[in-house]
Amino acid sequence: MIPAYEPDEKLARFRAELARDFSHVVVVDDGSTAPVPGAAVRHPVNRGKGAAIRSGVAWIGENLPNARVVVTADADGQHLAADVKRVAEAALAHPDALVLGARHLPRGIPFRSWFGNKLSCVTFRLLTGVRVSDTQSGLRGVSRGRWRRLLEIPGDRYEYELRMLADACRWTEKPVEVPIETVYIADNASSHFRPVRDAFATQWALVRHCLGFRR
């Protein structure tokens, strides 16, 4: 399932690659100016990545009764189809855990990506006691038994993914990391993540989530 906002041509190529291994590739158009062709769900206005993920999970739950896991992947070309498949397989093997596609972030990656992820990993461990190496990866797999919980987690924008990861630390099995390739195209220019503003907004949302505040 791919939440998409103003995607470029990389999305069409990514969908074609995924179709070789997956029977359904569900795109959620989160209010793009021009409707995304073939999107299963479309928000009339941009609501944020978290809202798009919940809409996609709800649609899959209602329309794909035989689906066993849902894998979320980004629309900006940062994920390889082979890694999506590996995350899906891990989610099947770990039905009580959130499976996280974890990137190795070497020197030379865009500063906003390095800064946001390092800050998030430190804060995350301090608040949850769980060490993860990539809190900002959008490549994640969750078995059907946990979909209802995904619909209950609050947050409409980037903070939703961090809340999801923190919530998963309380599941029967702690989050499982699957190493994936690190891909940045054109200095990650197509990303809508704002390096300072969104980084601090997500950290504040994480603090509130761990303290028990829903909003």
Side-chain angles (χ1 to χ4, degrees), residues 56-134:
V57 170
W59 188 92
I60 293 169
E62 293 172 1
N63 293 278
L64 301 178
N66 295 325
R68 298 169 60 191
V69 302
V70 62
V71 178
T72 64
D74 293 340
D76 57 6
Q78 288 196 43
H79 299 140
L80 303 181
D83 286 334
V84 177
K85 182 179 180 180
R86 292 175 61 234
V87 168
E89 292 170 343
L92 288 171
H94 298 274
D96 293 318
L98 182 149
V99 176
L100 180 68
R103 302 162 296 176
H104 169 62
L105 301 178
R107 293 182 179 179
I109 68 170
F111 172 77
R112 65 178 180 177
S113 300
W114 178 88
F115 171 79
N117 202 57
K118 291 299 182 182
L119 173 65
S120 184
C121 287
V122 171
T123 307
F124 190 87
R125 187 182 182 192
L126 290 174
L127 289 170
T128 67
V130 176
R131 182 196 294 270
V132 295
S133 60
D134 186 3

Side-chain angles (χ1 to χ4, degrees), residues 27-41:
V27 174
V28 179
D29 180 358
D30 187 28
S32 300
T33 304
V36 178
V41 182

